[in-house]
Amino acid sequence: MNTNNTKRKTVVIGASEKQERTSNQAVQLLSDYGHEVVGIGRKAGQIADTEIQTGQPVIAKVDTITMYISPENQTGMYDYLLSLQPKRIIFNPGSENSELAKLAVDNNIVVEEACTLVLLRTGQY
């Protein structure tokens, strides 16, 4: 189902087992489109075949981090997120954070304010 044939390892920050959460839908849709997904949330759990991890796990070769937590909950994660050396960070609606965006740009990370679900469904991911 991946329209551009590029598999992107994506870390979903704020992953939740609650099906009504956009982060849950993003994990499922990313998987449906053939991307490798790592979920990180407040509680350990499972979304289909994707494990939700807690804390700050070591993850290699990250292409994209997609944010689903508020800026206030991101502040303690800046060093961790940058240490993953992603190619880009997507700030989904409600997660926009100018401070983290500037740090990302300063570290040559592309920043997008967009909806991951829309990007996937419109072939722009």
Side-chain angles (χ1 to χ4, degrees):
M1 206 165 161
N2 182 356
T3 57
N4 66 9
N5 294 328
T6 303
K7 304 235 187 291
R8 301 177 189 271
K9 184 187 281 185
T10 302
V11 178
V12 177
I13 304 292
S16 170
E17 285 187 307
K18 295 180 181 177
Q19 292 181 351
E20 68 275 10
R21 299 276 179 146
T22 311
S23 63
N24 179 292
Q25 296 164 29
V27 168
Q28 293 190 57
L29 198 59
L30 284 159
S31 293
D32 289 348
Y33 276 73
H35 299 287
E36 182 180 348
V37 184
V38 178
I40 298 178
R42 285 188 181 168
K43 297 179 186 173
Q46 195 81 21
I47 301 171
D49 294 334
T50 302
E51 176 188 358
I52 300 172
Q53 302 177 54
T54 60
Q56 299 184 350
V58 175
I59 307 165
K61 297 182 180 169
V62 173
D63 181 86
T64 301
I65 293 173
T66 184
M67 303 294 296
Y68 286 97
I69 60 175
S70 67
E72 302 80 46
N73 290 320
Q74 295 170 24
T75 54
M77 301 182 78
Y78 290 176
D79 289 340
Y80 170 67
L81 297 170
L82 296 174
S83 77
L84 296 177
Q85 300 178 322
K87 293 180 180 152
R88 72 175 167 171
I89 297 176
I90 298 172
F91 291 98
N92 288 274
S95 70
E96 300 90 343
N97 180 338
S98 59
E99 186 177 26
L100 178 54
K102 182 182 182 327
L103 288 170
V105 169
D106 289 348
N107 283 275
N108 300 311
I109 300 167
V110 173
V111 171
E112 287 185 58
E113 289 185 1
C115 175
T116 297
L117 299 177
V118 172
L119 292 174
L120 286 162
R121 291 182 175 135
T122 58
Q124 300 177 69
Y125 193 79

